[in-house]
Amino acid sequence: MTSSTSAAPGTAAHDFAAQLSRYAELLVRVGINLQPGGNLLVNAPLEAAELARLVARSAYRAGALNVTVRYHDAQLGRLKIDEASDEAVAHVPSWLPDETLRMIDDGYAFLTLDGSDPDLMAGADSSRLALSAKLRAIVMKAVSEKMMAFEVAWCIGAISVPAWASKVYPELGQDEAVSALWRDIFRVTRADTPDPLAAWQQHIDRLGRVRDQLNARRYDALHFWDPAGGTDLTVGLAENHVWCGAEDRTRCGVRIVPNMPTDEVFTAPHRERVSGVAVASKPLLVRGEIVEGLRVRFEGGQVVEASASRGEATFLKLLDTDEGARRLGEVALVTASAPVAQSGRLFYNTLFDENAASHLALGRAYEFTFGGDPAESGGNDSLIHEDWMIGTASMNVDGVAADGTREALMRGGEWAGETLKL
Amino acid sequence: MTSSTSAAPGTAAHDFAAQLSRYAELLVRVGINLQPGGNLLVNAPLEAAELARLVARSAYRAGALNVTVRYHDAQLGRLKIDEASDEAVAHVPSWLPDETLRMIDDGYAFLTLDGSDPDLMAGADSSRLALSAKLRAIVMKAVSEKMMAFEVAWCIGAISVPAWASKVYPELGQDEAVSALWRDIFRVTRADTPDPLAAWQQHIDRLGRVRDQLNARRYDALHFWDPAGGTDLTVGLAENHVWCGAEDRTRCGVRIVPNMPTDEVFTAPHRERVSGVAVASKPLLVRGEIVEGLRVRFEGGQVVEASASRGEATFLKLLDTDEGARRLGEVALVTASAPVAQSGRLFYNTLFDENAASHLALGRAYEFTFGGDPAESGGNDSLIHEDWMIGTASMNVDGVAADGTREALMRGGEWAGETLKL
């Protein structure tokens, strides 16, 4: 799970406009499930103006009182790292979270349109970058805690922007790449189907059945082994762990889909009971830098060895953020046949890539993945939450009960039909 | 005085980039005169990203601690008027001013990049528009009061955007229009001169000499008469009125230029001592609608008759905002040879047009145009402040002393050399 728009006609311009409208409607009606009289904050990159306006229109038509769009310009972040004084890089305005906290109090729904240049921070000073990210996370901690507790509705959806699209489709010209990535977004979010809202309901029901069966089993641990990929890892699950996925409910009982697309079920590992080797099956993006060929060894829940063929220093710096950065906060199961996985592309974007493969996350566990107190249940805490993919088409996963008995959960990257009813 | 970016190469691309950089530097160094260790908030339309980034770079290089850019999307405002419920149109979030007030407390400088579609609100429901503008002004009153009291540094500069440029240059293609408007901006802000900072100093000194002489004279009233244009108006000046212009000082003593361009000197009329007829010499833009052929008659300080060949209903609605909306809050003198006037164009933009002609403003007087208490001095108050131009190349202005003696201030639209030393 991840918690963090220019337009180019793909087929006919008319089709694109129609799909973009349906996509906006999906984000408003299914993603944040906006209630009449509700308020909406949209976080969007500058390129997302067209989609943001369609979202605002959908929201007002659904009876919204107010829609505020906060446009952000990622290049300003890069510019600060490159041009500002050390004092300025270490300065995060103390008022930064206040408006958002006030909106949370007022019951705003939060929609984030996610689309950015994966190479934005390439070559930037990594110490400045790490310091800036850490200080920002500290100042914004109250906001992320309230979001993670679902005090309000929120959803993250994707948007195709040139820099991202060209990274995913380097063989295409910029306009074609933007179109191709839009087609991916419409496909994996089912905005290209005749009745996207019905298609989503069906999808959510199926994923919900897997989640509910896993919750009924109460496994003590998961064992991942992948003869081809090299992973052989036992992930102890937290006491009182809760499997989540598909949809969530806000404190007020509104059903939302926090990530679109979403094809994962996930829960909380025990911070001290992880051991073995995990090999990343895809590159990951850490603070703007690509980390490739990552291989990590755990003992007693902690990373004791980590190596990478690219970006190793960045990954090691991430581990040093705080004590919890070396331990797991999430384990997630995704089949190799999920829509994002089917494209066979690397998207350099967590929202997409984490829905293409089973994955782990270093750092903070989500409060809602526990039935009791997170800390007492063995849950992890940290300023970071960094997903990385280990799933492949040769991945096997067993559920291990407290008495050591095992059940097949995944075989060759797909749900094991002998254990799970779909 | 007014208190409220795309890039297209004009000549060579290199020249444009260089002038845009110099312009950014001017706004930071002269406009808000950013101090080392200071903070900056930039308000900018979506099209202003390129200039906003150059401003941020200049600010960080000048030692800024933090630069925040708030991008706004004017189309969202139009969309709300068109699509939202009545309840939503009447809803302004109470938290709206809080972040800005907090920034004011923290001593932020505020730079507004002004460039919008003059026809944005054409055809929109004028009652909804007026209600929305009025409620917003009420919620934001504390902010505008603090700005008007120069508690912090602020400046408004212009940016060429396609919709505005095409309105000013309807005979040109869009790219050419954007370039032509950029050339105007660079010319009237002196960003096209070899040493823009020195050119500004010279300009400010000259305008300051006019301002200082007017302050020394202590006129009781101004008499405007324009045989060709039809204006014949006596504007009584407030007791303790102060002539302002060219530059201002913040509470902390920082010298700023709040409007770029600026070619006016201005002061506060007496709210009850205005009589005669004022004929607008240019169309004005009221809440997004063009008002043309405006002719207004005053008695006892109040508008008693107003007619227009276009937009009359909008103007009459403006007068009904509150009691002070029918009285004057500003009178300003601008020569017919000022750089903006020389272009001969109508810019459909207050920042430009008010620096092309002597003008009046209905509504709120600026606190700093009084040497004593504004209300006791006969100053006006209102939620609105609406400038409209009366100056022409045939305008004459006399300064009238308390004993009735007169001195020539302007003849044929230019300063009268027999009275004023330039």
Side-chain angles (χ1 to χ4, degrees), chain A residues 9-24:
Chain A
T11 50
H14 177 72
D15 280 6
F16 175 77
Q19 292 194 5
L20 197 68
S21 265
R22 279 208 295 248
Y23 180 46

Side-chain angles (χ1 to χ4, degrees), chain A residues 272-333:
Chain A
E272 293 175 354
R273 299 201 295 111
V274 181
S275 61
V277 170
V279 177
S281 55
K282 296 187 177 228
L284 59 150
L285 198 65
V286 176
R287 286 170 187 165
E289 209 178 321
I290 301 290
V291 176
E292 268 177 348
L294 180 67
R295 189 179 180 283
V296 175
R297 194 163 66 80
F298 289 87
E299 269 179 26
Q302 203 169 19
V303 175
V304 290
E305 263 182 63
S307 61
S309 55
R310 180 180 168 192
E312 184 177 291
T314 300
F315 188 79
L316 295 178
K317 195 163 276 169
L318 179 76
L319 295 180
D320 288 338
T321 307
D322 51 27
E323 205 276 333
R326 302 187 154 263
R327 297 178 184 274
L328 293 186
E330 180 186 344
V331 57
L333 301 178

Side-chain angles (χ1 to χ4, degrees), chain B residues 393-410:
Chain B
S394 53
M395 177 62 82
N396 305 298
V397 185
D398 276 359
V400 186
D403 65 4
T405 56
R406 292 168 162 260
E407 290 178 323
L409 293 181
M410 284 188 135

Side-chain angles (χ1 to χ4, degrees), chain A residues 37 39 46 49 52-54 56-57 60-61 63-76 79-80 83-85 87-89 91 93-96 98-99 102-103 106 108, chain B residues 37 39 46 49 52-54 56-57 60-61 63-76 79-80 83-85 87-89 91 93-96 98-99 102-103 106 108:
Chain A
N39 289 299
L46 291 177
R53 289 169 194 153
L54 290 171
R57 193 185 65 180
Y60 282 127
R61 288 182 180 176
L65 260 193
N66 183 52
V67 179
T68 294
V69 181
R70 276 197 206 132
Y71 288 100
H72 57 90
D73 180 359
Q75 289 196 37
L76 289 169
L79 199 144
K80 184 166 187 179
E83 301 277 357
S85 67
E87 193 191 356
V89 169
H91 172 81
S94 59
W95 48 259
L96 202 63
D98 294 352
E99 190 172 85
R102 179 68 189 278
M103 288 176 165
D106 285 2
Y108 268 66
Chain B
N39 289 299
L46 291 178
R53 289 169 195 153
L54 290 172
R57 194 186 63 179
Y60 283 127
R61 289 182 179 176
L65 260 193
N66 183 53
V67 180
T68 294
V69 181
R70 274 196 207 133
Y71 288 101
H72 57 89
D73 180 359
Q75 289 197 37
L76 289 169
L79 200 145
K80 183 165 188 178
E83 301 278 358
S85 67
E87 193 191 359
V89 169
H91 172 82
S94 59
W95 47 259
L96 202 62
D98 294 351
E99 190 172 87
R102 179 68 189 278
M103 288 176 165
D106 284 1
Y108 268 66

Side-chain angles (χ1 to χ4, degrees), chain A residues 141-413:
Chain A
K141 194 157 198 272
V143 168
S144 58
E145 283 174 357
K146 282 168 190 277
M147 293 289 173
M148 289 310 102
F150 292 108
E151 290 201 8
V152 288
W154 57 268
C155 172
I156 304 178
I159 165 166
S160 178
V161 298
W164 179 24
S166 295
K167 184 81 181 175
V168 179
Y169 290 98
E171 74 279 18
L172 300 180
Q174 184 174 287
D175 288 354
E176 289 70 30
V178 168
S179 296
L181 185 54
W182 269 125
R183 280 193 298 273
D184 287 330
I185 292 172
F186 294 151
R187 183 175 57 79
V188 301
T189 60
R190 300 164 178 82
D192 64 353
T193 61
D195 187 351
L197 276 76
W200 263 95
Q201 199 49 58
Q202 198 175 9
H203 168 58
I204 283 170
D205 288 348
R206 184 173 189 271
L207 205 55
R209 281 193 293 276
V210 172
R211 177 198 63 210
D212 293 347
Q213 292 173 76
L214 289 171
N215 274 324
R217 306 268 168 173
R218 314 278 346 125
Y219 294 119
D220 181 64
L222 302 181
H223 179 217
F224 292 81
W225 81 100
D226 178 358
T231 289
D232 188 350
L233 183 76
T234 298
V235 178
L237 300 181
E239 294 159 40
N240 305 308
H241 68 267
V242 175
W243 285 92
C244 300
E247 63 176 6
D248 288 278
R249 278 175 195 272
T250 66
R251 283 224 175 141
C252 298
V254 176
R255 296 169 64 180
I256 61 169
V257 178
N259 284 182
M260 294 183 94
T262 188
D263 287 280
E264 57 172 340
V265 290
F266 59 99
T267 192
H270 192 289
R271 66 193 299 279
E272 293 175 354
R273 299 201 295 111
V274 181
S275 61
V277 170
V279 177
S281 55
K282 296 187 177 228
L284 59 150
L285 198 65
V286 176
R287 286 170 187 165
E289 209 178 321
I290 301 290
V291 176
E292 268 177 348
L294 180 67
R295 189 179 180 283
V296 175
R297 194 163 66 80
F298 289 87
E299 269 179 26
Q302 203 169 19
V303 175
V304 290
E305 263 182 63
S307 61
S309 55
R310 180 180 168 192
E312 184 177 291
T314 300
F315 188 79
L316 295 178
K317 195 163 276 169
L318 179 76
L319 295 180
D320 288 338
T321 307
D322 51 27
E323 205 276 333
R326 302 187 154 263
R327 297 178 184 274
L328 293 186
E330 180 186 344
V331 57
L333 301 178
V334 180
T335 62
S337 61
V340 179
Q342 283 181 314
S343 81
R345 293 267 166 179
L346 175 67
F347 284 93
Y348 302 92
N349 175 290
T350 300
L351 180 62
F352 267 63
D353 292 323
E354 73 165 2
N355 284 303
S358 293
H359 55 272
L360 308 169
L362 287 166
R364 187 180 59 251
Y366 297 118
E367 194 186 320
F368 52 85
T369 52
F370 301 90
D373 180 78
E376 288 173 17
S377 306
N380 192 31
D381 193 20
S382 169
L383 286 171
I384 71 161
H385 180 95
E386 205 67 44
D387 292 278
W388 46 296
M389 317 311 143
I390 58 168
T392 65
S394 53
M395 177 61 82
N396 306 297
V397 184
D398 277 358
V400 186
D403 64 3
T405 58
R406 291 167 162 263
E407 290 179 323
L409 293 180
M410 283 188 135
R411 286 297 178 262

Side-chain angles (χ1 to χ4, degrees), chain B residues 238-239 269 271 365-380:
Chain B
E239 295 159 41
R271 66 191 300 279
Y366 297 118
E367 194 186 322
F368 53 85
T369 53
F370 300 91
D373 180 79
E376 288 173 16
S377 307
N380 192 32

